[in-house]
Amino acid sequence: MLVPRRSDPVRTGPRRRCRWSVEECFQAAKNQVGLDHYQVRNWTSWHRHITLAMLALASLTVLAADAPPEPPADTYHFARSRHPITLTVPEIRHLLAAVFHPPAVTATELLHWSNWHRRHQATARRSHYRRRIASEPAG
């Protein structure tokens, strides 16, 4: 980022954080909705592809944001919880892809896999939080 040598960190800090969130958004779009999967020859086609990819990512993000329940009041809730994690953007994308391009499995099997996958992720998260709690200094 081009910043004058004698810049005020209070003034430039928000810009740096904004740039980080924009970079993360583009990385998520590349990974989840194929933002970088285009082969176009003119600006109009490129603009249409980018617009549709960003619209798809925004839709998935809204669905994921609408899915989680209220956050628990207990600080160590995730270390003890046996519930699967909430739906994420990749999980929603996978489920929608299965709906629109049906695999060779039934809907029951697909939902069973999704539930297993989210429970597995919850177990990993629970182990992570337990290890983190155990390594915290007492005091």
Side-chain angles (χ1 to χ4, degrees), residues 19-95:
R19 181 175 181 215
W20 178 262
S21 64
V22 169
E23 292 292 331
E24 282 190 343
C25 181
F26 276 111
Q27 189 62 40
K30 288 177 182 178
N31 292 338
Q32 300 304 325
V33 294
L35 182 68
D36 57 348
H37 294 197
Y38 60 87
Q39 293 182 359
V40 296
R41 300 197 183 270
N42 60 32
W43 188 87
T44 304
S45 301
W46 176 85
H47 190 263
R48 287 178 182 160
H49 173 79
I50 298 301
T51 302
L52 288 174
M54 294 308 280
L55 180 65
L57 180 64
S59 300
L60 290 173
T61 304
V62 167
L63 285 172
D66 199 30
E70 292 183 21
D74 181 13
T75 308
Y76 299 111
H77 170 76
F78 293 122
R80 294 189 294 265
S81 175
R82 295 265 180 221
H83 300 290
I85 66 169
T86 58
L87 288 170
T88 60
V89 169
E91 185 72 22
I92 293 171
R93 182 182 55 82
H94 178 80
L95 292 171

Side-chain angles (χ1 to χ4, degrees), residues 7-17:
S7 63
D8 182 13
V10 175
R11 290 178 52 214
T12 59
R15 282 187 240 149
R16 289 181 186 153
R17 286 190 296 272

Side-chain angles (χ1 to χ4, degrees), residues 70-125:
E70 292 183 21
D74 181 13
T75 308
Y76 299 111
H77 170 76
F78 293 122
R80 294 189 294 265
S81 175
R82 295 265 180 221
H83 300 290
I85 66 169
T86 58
L87 288 170
T88 60
V89 169
E91 185 72 22
I92 293 171
R93 182 182 55 82
H94 178 80
L95 292 171
L96 287 175
V99 167
F100 291 115
H101 300 289
V105 297
T106 65
T108 305
E109 292 170 329
L110 178 67
L111 291 175
H112 175 74
W113 175 87
S114 176
N115 195 26
W116 174 86
H117 187 251
R118 291 184 298 124
R119 284 188 188 277
H120 179 73
Q121 288 177 324
T123 302
R125 179 177 60 184

